[in-house]
Amino acid sequence: MASTLQVLPRVARAPLRPLLWGGLAARMASGMALAEQARQLFESAVGAVLPGPMLHRALSLDPGGTQLNVRDRSFQLRQNLYIVGFGKAVLGMAAAAEDLLGHHLVQGVISVPKGIRAAMEHAGKQDMLLKPHSRVQVFEGAEDNLPDRDALRAALAIRQLAEGLTADDLLLVLISGGGSALLPAPIPPVTLEEKQTLTKLLAARGATIQELNTIRKALSQLKGGGLAQAAYPAQVVSLILSDVVGDPVEVIASGPTVASAHNVQDCLHILNRYGLRAALPRSVKTVLARADSDPHGPHTCGHVLNVIIGSNVLALAEAQRQAEALGYRAMVLSAAMQGDVKSVAQFYGLLAHAAGTRLTPSTAGASVQEDAKLHELAAELQIPDLQLEAALEVVVGAMGPVCLLAGGEPTVQLQGSGKGGRNQELALRVGAELGRWPLGPIDVLFLSGGTDGRDGPTEAAGAWVMPDLASQAAAEGLDMATFLAQNDSHAFFCHFQGGTHLLHTGMTGTNVMDTHFLFLRPR
């Protein structure tokens, strides 16, 4: 089934002020052209991981249509197929699954983000929608990616379906990013509000997604292998679109079909680290104590096949091909960018300076201290498989423009009460960093975008910046430091140049973390 991402809105051309002319006006025009190319790369990255094509590549039927092939495993189909799913890409995954396997489908239940059906319909993405009279029941919830009562109702319906299965049945589980918030089923007496408050406190203090999911699993009926246990003795096949660095199946959506490898002591260690153990509600203490004394111990998931069908790596590979088609020497730095957003921004600022001095040898080279700081930051961030040296070598050998690509999910420690997301905050901080360094006669642009089209509780997917961001913002009376102190990056970009630096795509129907593009083009 063919599927393409709807063309993104073109960059609005802001009118030049009367006093801007000559070289400055030319650089502004060049910047807008670079921004358009950055948007093209983002579009191609998202288009490579749309759920329909991913699912069709993962599944196949034998000629008789009675055997489902998944990797090297086969499953008999005889009107015994059930579907459950949860995540930002699951609506499109379910549509593709029903299109391929509908003859054998008995029933399905999926939990998807609030408003996604209307958004897909409005965007004309019919391939992302279930057919009329579908056997799959759709629940919408988790507004702003936060678990709520609607998502809880969906989770309980999913559990009910799973618990009714027999050894003759096959359960197809569709999982994508955002799935954890869409499958909230706290273990009584923990309430949804208590679990949500604890998760918010951990996130605000900088807990990683791995740490958040360890806590979620310990307090959930369905996460940490709970869904697989509920479905036993049915065979379970999970098709997973990864939104987590390294694609660990036990972390994505908190691993509902993967037995948890963590214990109560791991949870207490995390809670201690962020100073929250003493403030735990009595209900949470009760559940953790009960789990610690469970005589049965952790359950296994031998009846489950978990398959990763799409990831950030695939998105970056397609963006790299697109960059090369546009005439850039392109290289992927890493698909596992992580760490505090401040440090990640400093890394990109130093990288731009180091690459710029290598790309234009006529300018003063990067100092030994600056190169050392870049490598020191890379070591501190502990980025897996970071291709830093190889990327710098590519820059040295380039005879023209360069594009360095990365993906991942930095973390933001909330200090203010503003509105934003990690992509907009990263872009704003990178813009500040770029302004600190003399970059020579090159145009530099950085874009950060979330592949789901929603960066935090905003309508934007991310933003793009250039080295003159700080000076242009000051000319408009915008103090970047104040916006950053309040974690108010979205408000900044809405005000700055009429919002033209925001990346707007609408809900994309997929989610494989974030993409970061750093463009360097000699003038």
Side-chain angles (χ1 to χ4, degrees):
M1 179 172 64
S3 179
T4 57
L5 184 68
Q6 188 177 16
V7 176
L8 300 174
R10 297 306 186 197
V11 181
R13 267 61 175 177
L16 296 180
R17 295 178 183 176
L19 294 180
L20 295 177
W21 67 86
L24 180 56
R27 285 200 297 278
M28 289 183 69
S30 177
M32 294 309 246
L34 267 181
E36 188 62 34
Q37 291 181 340
R39 289 169 183 264
Q40 289 178 35
L41 261 63
F42 185 77
E43 177 185 336
S44 66
V46 172
V49 288
L50 290 176
M54 291 286 100
L55 189 134
H56 275 275
R57 282 196 284 270
L59 301 180
S60 65
L61 287 173
D62 72 338
T66 59
Q67 184 171 282
L68 176 65
N69 303 310
V70 188
R71 296 283 171 89
D72 57 348
R73 296 277 299 277
S74 297
F75 302 88
Q76 288 299 312
L77 293 175
R78 45 183 181 272
Q79 284 74 51
N80 62 337
L81 177 67
Y82 294 79
I83 290 176
V84 297
F86 29 90
K88 296 177 181 179
V90 159
L91 183 62
M93 293 171 77
E98 188 170 31
D99 182 57
L100 181 67
L101 307 169
H103 178 65
H104 295 280
L105 179 61
V106 180
Q107 183 187 357
V109 178
I110 61 172
S111 178
V112 296
K114 197 171 199 66
I116 192 168
R117 283 179 294 182
M120 295 298 107
E121 193 165 343
H122 180 73
K125 300 177 183 178
Q126 296 301 316
D127 57 322
M128 295 276 198
L129 296 168
L130 291 161
K131 302 289 191 296
H133 313 298
S134 168
R135 293 192 177 101
V136 179
Q137 184 180 9
V138 181
F139 288 83
E140 292 191 3
E143 191 168 12
D144 293 333
N145 203 31
L146 295 172
D148 55 19
R149 290 286 163 188
D150 291 329
L152 177 60
R153 279 191 286 272
L156 296 179
I158 287 170
R159 187 189 69 181
Q160 184 178 19
L161 184 153
E163 289 176 341
L165 301 179
T166 71
D168 294 325
D169 295 323
L170 174 63
L171 179 64
L172 192 63
V173 183
L174 310 176
I175 302 175
S176 77
S180 192
L182 287 158
L183 194 72
I187 299 172
V190 177
T191 67
L192 180 62
E193 290 74 20
E194 287 172 332
K195 186 178 176 185
Q196 189 172 343
T197 297
L198 181 57
T199 302
K200 280 182 177 178
L201 286 170
L202 283 164
R205 298 189 184 195
T208 66
I209 189 170
Q210 289 84 356
E211 291 170 327
L212 289 171
N213 284 348
T214 297
I215 300 298
R216 286 169 176 154
K217 285 188 279 190
L219 302 177
S220 173
Q221 299 178 57
L222 296 176
K223 291 160 187 169
L227 176 59
Q229 189 70 8
Y232 185 83
Q235 288 292 303
V236 177
V237 175
S238 286
L239 303 180
I240 304 166
L241 199 59
S242 172
D243 73 328
V244 179
V245 167
D247 307 331
V249 292
E250 71 276 9
V251 174
I252 302 163
S254 303
T257 57
V258 185
S260 178
H262 297 286
N263 56 34
V264 171
Q265 292 307 312
D266 295 323
C267 295
L268 295 177
H269 178 70
I270 293 167
L271 294 167
N272 279 332
R273 179 181 301 168
Y274 296 103
L276 293 172
R277 184 172 177 179
L280 288 179
R282 182 181 298 274
S283 59
V284 173
K285 292 178 181 178
T286 299
V287 168
L288 292 178
R290 192 188 302 158
D292 203 24
S293 59
D294 185 357
H296 301 292
H299 49 258
T300 60
C301 296
H303 58 302
V304 178
L305 173 64
N306 290 301
V307 180
I308 298 284
I309 66 170
S311 68
N312 190 268
V313 171
L314 294 173
L316 290 177
E318 183 56 38
Q320 181 181 12
R321 283 190 286 272
Q322 177 70 15
E324 289 167 348
L326 290 170
Y328 288 86
R329 284 290 302 275
M331 182 165 181
V332 175
L333 286 163
S334 172
M337 293 297 295
Q338 55 191 338
D340 183 75
V341 68
K342 296 178 185 177
S343 297
V344 174
Q346 290 172 1
F347 171 81
Y348 280 127
L350 284 165
L351 176 62
H353 181 54
T357 55
R358 286 164 170 82
L359 192 59
T360 55
S362 59
T363 60
S367 71
V368 174
Q369 291 86 352
E370 289 161 5
D371 267 9
K373 178 62 175 174
L374 174 62
H375 287 83
E376 181 184 324
L377 258 178
E380 287 176 7
L381 288 167
Q382 298 181 337
I383 302 165
D385 301 319
L386 178 64
Q387 303 296 307
L388 179 57
E389 293 303 326
L392 293 175
E393 288 177 13
V394 164
V395 173
V396 170
M399 302 299 292
V402 171
C403 180
L404 302 177
L405 308 94
E409 197 166 279
T411 54
V412 178
Q413 295 193 40
L414 297 177
Q415 297 171 317
S417 57
K419 186 176 182 180
R422 62 179 177 267
N423 288 282
Q424 291 163 82
E425 174 126 353
L426 177 61
L428 185 53
R429 290 190 179 278
V430 170
E433 293 294 331
L434 292 176
R436 299 184 199 279
W437 305 101
L439 295 171
I442 58 172
D443 291 320
V444 178
L445 182 142
F446 176 82
L447 178 143
S448 183
T451 54
D452 62 349
R454 286 288 186 272
D455 186 33
T458 77
E459 296 293 310
W464 61 272
V465 295
M466 296 186 75
D468 55 5
L469 180 71
S471 60
Q472 291 190 357
E476 294 187 24
L478 300 173
D479 181 14
M480 289 169 56
T482 300
F483 285 96
L484 285 170
Q486 291 297 317
N487 298 114
D488 206 13
S489 55
H490 185 65
F492 172 87
F493 283 113
C494 284
H495 286 98
F496 181 62
Q497 294 187 354
T500 56
H501 284 238
L502 284 168
L503 178 65
H504 282 290
T505 65
M507 288 183 179
T508 62
T510 191
N511 183 22
V512 292
M513 299 189 292
D514 307 332
T515 58
H516 307 153
F517 305 143
L518 179 63
F519 293 82
L520 301 107
R521 189 170 65 184
R523 292 183 194 133

